[in-house]
Amino acid sequence: MTKPRSIIPGFCVWAALFAIAWCEAKPVLAGPPLHEAIDHWIDAPADNPKRPASDDAEFARRLYLDLAGRIPSRDELVAFLEDKTPGKRAQLIDQLLADEGYARRMTELFNNMLLERRGDDPHWTAFLRTAFQKNTPWDKFSLAILNPDADDAEGRGAAFFMTSRLVSRGAMAPVDKPGLTRDLGRMFAGVDLQCAQCHDHVSVDDYLQSDFQGLHVAVENLTVRRDVEFPAVSEGLVKAKSEFMSVFTQVSMTTGPRPPGGEEIAIPEFAKGEEYLVPPDRKKRLPGVPRFSPLQELARGLANRDNQMFRRNIVNRLWFTMMGRGLVEPLDLMHSDNPPSHPELLELLASDFAEHDFDMKYLLREIALSNAYQRTSRIDSQTSASGRSYAAANEKRMSAEQLFWSAAIAVGALEPAKAIAQQQAEQARPPADEPPEVELPSTDPVVRLDALERFVQRTSVLASLRRDFVNAFANPATEPEIDFEPSVQGALYLMHDERWLGLLQPQPGNLIDRLLTLEKEKAAEELYLSLFSRRPTAEEQTEAVAWLTQQSPDNTPEQRAAALADIAWAMLSSSEFVINH
């Protein structure tokens, strides 16, 4: 996965790396592994004591959530805890990056990041899924979104990034081209130019009105295509620079297309009748293909290794995903008055990522291998309270999707559903020479998650539960999901949704059903392994046993089931479960 590097010990190596990182034209050619460089720069402040490494249980839970989008199952966790193999953490990192669950996790992550809950589209989902299954480099991934090709069967869904901002559901849907302009800057360059639309930004000197307008030129002539299957966009002719005026200075200005971090692009002139590569055809509703494409120029100028803003933005976002806090925050406010917490590290990550051909798996692996990532999140009085220091692992918000998958695995929700599907499959089993209509989940842990995902999609109860889970715990559309924000809606859902509460009743093979067969002490331990991905402390186990004893005086199955369900509900509703720590 990684390119070979020569090892040159000593501080001079770090200094050399830093110097090279600042030199735009010279890539990083050699040096220690990136994860060691990460630890060097994070550990550099000597007056900032760092917390020790996490134990195996804490590490496994965090890694599964980050790379698989779910907590480990009870069996996966125990197998990892009992594994005495040296280097088992690195092995688990590689295993999860190679698992099909990685593509599902990253599809959900980037769908939320790039669309911010603006809707769903099967072509968009297929584009994301395919890109992450193939580990498409970030620059090519971005090119597909910035200049979508309706004739590319595999990548045409990328157009939904733009169409989701150009149309909305309903006949009177708004067309939000300024919003699209803003989001192109935010998502691909780490700059929010919204407040520079009508004048230079009043508080950020780096953000000029010409920056917004230069980017806006590339999208102001976009329309949604109606001659091909949705989603697809077309461009109108751009013959001259765009004129704009500051509401403050009233001075007229002009600009051609200009990507953030790039130069203004000259607009070519064509003789009348020569403007199109493919002329429009009204009868066929064909919009035509102009010879000059601002979108194509935008994509070339923005999504390339020489664009520092493009490189910094994505490594900062991936760093945020793994570390719980960006080197620059807010993620879309990169400017000279908002410097990164570790500027040398940001430059090194950006340069190294480009040198490794924008390989996202490579960067995620290196971050996960670092001591900074593997630190415990448990703090003490000596630990800096600021997440900027990375002295301890930062707590991270779990997405609605992560919550659904984790809760479903924790309570064994998929076990009874699997039994029902097996029964349905038996009843509807086709002749031996035809494929079955219902694909059952595999018992192979390597492919189990992806199979479970397909299983949920084909099981109406779980599919609706997943949809309701997302509706209850996701942010409203257009709001980035960054911080943990408990909501009344989410609390009410956990308290009253009958289907969710039904999963805490004993059903064949689920968590409560399994615990009913165990002694109280063992049942308490299994609760913690299944829900909190760790073993209980002695005090916690004593308290759990005392509760089970108190709530089941006659020790009937009904009393014990109710007591176990109460504990499980309380644990699932706790901050320890709903936060990635």
Side-chain angles (χ1 to χ4, degrees):
M1 179 176 295
T2 60
K3 293 185 176 181
R5 289 163 165 265
S6 62
I7 305 298
I8 307 173
F11 182 80
C12 59
V13 175
W14 310 111
L17 279 173
F18 179 40
I20 292 173
W22 277 101
C23 182
E24 295 303 314
K26 297 180 180 178
V28 178
L29 298 176
L34 181 60
H35 61 271
E36 293 185 11
I38 289 172
D39 288 328
H40 168 78
W41 290 113
I42 292 297
D43 293 344
D47 58 348
N48 184 21
K50 303 298 189 294
R51 295 293 291 150
S54 58
D55 60 30
D56 284 343
E58 184 180 3
F59 168 78
R61 185 181 192 272
R62 183 184 307 158
L63 191 70
Y64 267 88
L65 281 167
D66 286 337
L67 300 184
R70 62 175 177 97
I71 63 170
S73 70
R74 180 269 181 203
D75 291 346
E76 289 168 333
L77 176 68
V78 171
F80 182 72
L81 297 180
E82 294 179 351
D83 185 359
K84 306 303 179 185
T85 306
K88 67 177 183 178
R89 292 194 176 194
Q91 292 175 9
L92 183 60
I93 293 169
D94 291 338
Q95 172 192 320
L96 294 179
L97 286 172
D99 193 284
E100 289 188 346
Y102 168 80
R104 179 196 53 75
R105 155 62 174 159
M106 298 303 282
T107 296
E108 293 174 343
L109 172 68
F110 275 76
N111 179 55
N112 297 341
M113 180 193 300
L114 297 176
L115 287 192
E116 297 178 334
R117 308 285 180 184
R118 282 180 167 81
D120 299 310
D121 179 83
H123 300 290
W124 166 256
T125 303
F127 162 71
L128 293 177
R129 179 62 59 97
T130 303
F132 288 112
Q133 285 175 339
K134 294 184 175 181
N135 194 29
T136 300
W138 173 248
D139 58 337
K140 293 181 172 57
F141 181 102
S142 302
L143 283 170
I145 294 175
L146 295 170
N147 186 27
D149 182 358
D151 297 325
D152 177 9
E154 186 174 293
R156 62 182 307 279
F160 191 64
F161 176 87
M162 294 187 182
T163 60
S164 66
R165 277 117 171 139
L166 296 177
V167 297
S168 185
R169 294 171 185 173
M172 302 302 291
V175 176
D176 189 11
K177 290 181 180 176
L180 174 57
T181 303
R182 177 198 183 201
D183 286 346
L184 286 171
R186 292 175 59 223
M187 302 303 176
F188 296 98
V191 291
D192 186 349
L193 302 173
Q194 182 184 30
C195 291
Q197 179 179 355
C198 304
H199 48 74
D200 292 345
H201 201 290
V202 295
S203 59
V204 180
D205 293 341
D206 294 349
Y207 295 175
L208 305 178
Q209 188 182 10
S210 58
D211 296 329
F212 179 94
Q213 296 297 335
L215 184 55
H216 187 62
V217 172
V219 303
E220 62 182 351
N221 288 303
L222 285 184
T223 56
V224 177
R225 289 183 67 171
R226 304 297 182 185
D227 61 314
V228 295
E229 187 178 3
F230 185 86
V233 296
S234 64
E235 295 179 273
L237 289 178
V238 175
K239 298 181 179 180
K241 292 185 176 184
S242 177
E243 298 181 359
F244 61 97
M245 177 184 294
S246 168
V247 296
F248 293 151
T249 65
Q250 299 293 305
V251 175
S252 295
M253 294 173 278
T254 62
T255 184
R258 183 161 63 85
E263 300 293 330
E264 182 178 331
I265 300 159
I267 300 175
E269 296 183 5
F270 298 100
K272 186 175 179 58
E274 299 294 327
E275 301 96 335
Y276 286 95
L277 284 171
V278 179
D281 187 332
R282 289 188 177 182
K283 292 182 179 179
K284 297 180 180 179
R285 304 180 68 182
L286 183 67
V289 180
R291 290 187 182 276
F292 175 63
S293 168
L295 271 190
Q296 184 180 69
E297 299 298 333
L298 168 69
R300 288 174 176 171
L302 181 54
N304 71 71
R305 67 175 60 225
D306 295 326
N307 191 313
Q308 186 184 54
M309 298 173 73
F310 177 73
R311 302 191 323 246
R312 286 180 178 178
N313 169 68
I314 185 58
V315 298
N316 193 49
R317 287 179 177 274
L318 292 176
W319 179 268
F320 166 81
T321 297
M322 298 293 283
M323 302 297 291
R325 182 182 175 86
L327 294 166
V328 177
E329 286 212 348
L331 301 179
D332 53 10
L333 279 179
M334 289 188 170
H335 56 84
S336 55
D337 290 332
N338 183 34
S341 59
H342 299 74
E344 303 91 347
L345 177 57
L346 179 61
E347 295 305 328
L348 177 59
L349 291 173
S351 297
D352 194 76
F353 186 49
E355 171 61 17
H356 284 82
D357 298 326
F358 297 98
D359 183 340
M360 284 188 274
K361 279 191 176 182
Y362 161 76
L363 183 59
L364 293 173
R365 182 178 189 273
E366 289 298 314
I367 294 174
L369 284 171
S370 70
N371 295 331
Y373 175 83
Q374 297 188 21
R375 277 195 187 96
T376 182
S377 62
R378 299 181 178 90
I379 61 174
D380 59 12
S381 59
Q382 303 300 315
T383 309
S384 169
S386 170
R388 287 171 58 91
S389 69
Y390 304 99
N394 290 314
E395 295 178 345
K396 293 175 275 191
R397 169 187 176 135
M398 282 170 60
S399 69
E401 290 81 3
Q402 286 175 302
L403 271 177
F404 168 77
W405 289 113
S406 298
I409 287 174
V411 302
L414 302 171
E415 297 304 320
K418 175 183 173 182
I420 294 172
Q422 284 176 327
Q423 184 180 9
Q424 292 174 341
E426 287 294 331
Q427 294 172 351
R429 184 174 296 282
D433 58 345
E434 295 182 12
E437 294 182 357
V438 179
E439 188 173 2
L440 298 177
S442 167
T443 56
D444 182 347
V446 175
V447 298
R448 186 166 183 266
L449 180 61
D450 187 58
L452 288 179
E453 183 184 19
R454 295 196 300 271
F455 178 69
V456 167
Q457 291 174 347
R458 298 174 185 183
T459 308
S460 59
V461 173
L462 289 176
S464 63
L465 188 68
R466 181 186 185 187
R467 181 174 59 251
D468 293 346
F469 230 87
V470 171
N471 290 337
F473 292 99
N475 277 13
T478 75
E479 288 188 9
E481 297 182 354
I482 303 296
D483 300 316
F484 174 59
E485 298 174 350
S487 67
V488 173
Q489 183 180 5
L492 291 175
Y493 179 83
L494 292 178
M495 293 172 65
H496 299 294
D497 186 85
E498 293 184 358
R499 288 168 304 167
W500 164 244
L501 295 176
L503 298 180
L504 297 178
Q505 301 304 312
Q507 300 179 41
N510 78 352
L511 175 65
I512 302 301
D513 180 63
R514 181 163 58 86
L515 298 186
L516 280 173
T517 65
L518 305 177
E519 297 296 329
K520 294 184 179 66
E521 290 77 8
K522 186 63 176 175
E525 181 180 88
E526 290 295 310
L527 273 170
Y528 274 80
L529 285 170
S530 300
L531 301 177
F532 282 173
S533 303
R534 65 175 175 86
R535 291 192 167 87
T537 64
E539 182 180 3
E540 289 169 335
Q541 190 167 28
T542 299
E543 289 180 351
V545 171
W547 173 264
L548 293 174
T549 302
Q550 177 186 358
Q551 297 300 311
S552 54
D554 301 324
N555 202 31
T556 64
E558 293 77 13
Q559 288 178 344
R560 293 180 60 195
L564 288 166
D566 284 345
I567 297 179
W569 184 90
M571 294 174 73
L572 288 164
S573 305
S574 70
S575 58
E576 179 166 352
F577 185 82
V578 302
I579 289 177
N580 184 3
H581 45 78

